[in-house]
């Protein structure tokens, strides 16, 4: 999972009805592994294992972190296009 962290400026932009771009945005990156036999139920996260996690300040650091993990941004799909819980 790659999750951008919200700031006060993001909350203000939302209140005004728009989204704010920020190339220096901080991201939380988390790699989980799941038990295959639990994926079809509602409690798919039971037994999940945290493989690694990181915080990246800015898009350049996010890209560097993904490269260090041997991942490319184009490998990531929206959740609704995957079997990821």
């Amino acid at each position: 999972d790659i999750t951008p962290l919200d700031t006060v400026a993001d909350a203000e932009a939302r209140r005004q009805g728009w989204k704010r771009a920020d190339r220096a945005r901080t991201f939380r990156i988390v790699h989980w592994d799941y038990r295959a036999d639990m994926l079809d139920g509602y409690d798919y996260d039971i037994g999940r294992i945290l493989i690694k996690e990181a915080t990246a300040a800015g898009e350049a650091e996010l890209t560097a972190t993904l490269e260090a993990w041997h991942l490319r941004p184009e490998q990531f799909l929206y959740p609704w296009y995957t079997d990821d819980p």
Side-chain angles (χ1 to χ4, degrees):
D1 294 322
I2 301 173
T3 307
L5 301 181
D6 276 347
T7 65
V8 173
D10 293 320
E12 180 62 29
R14 245 189 326 277
R15 275 193 294 279
Q16 294 177 14
W18 57 284
K19 292 186 180 185
R20 183 180 155 276
D22 183 356
R23 288 179 101 36
R25 182 173 306 282
T26 299
F27 298 90
R28 182 169 181 253
I29 309 140
V30 183
H31 179 181
W32 292 100
D33 198 5
Y34 297 87
R35 287 182 37 190
D37 61 332
M38 298 298 286
L39 291 178
D40 290 331
Y42 289 104
D43 293 328
Y44 58 81
D45 57 348
I46 292 175
R48 70 182 176 173
I49 299 168
L50 177 63
I51 304 299
K52 54 183 136 183
E53 65 182 313
T55 302
E59 292 179 6
E61 192 172 318
L62 172 61
T63 301
T65 302
L66 293 177
E67 287 175 358
W69 290 9
H70 306 290
L71 297 171
R72 295 180 320 280
E74 60 270 12
Q75 289 177 280
F76 291 85
L77 300 172
Y78 289 106
W80 49 87
Y81 291 136
T82 72
D83 292 331
D84 186 14

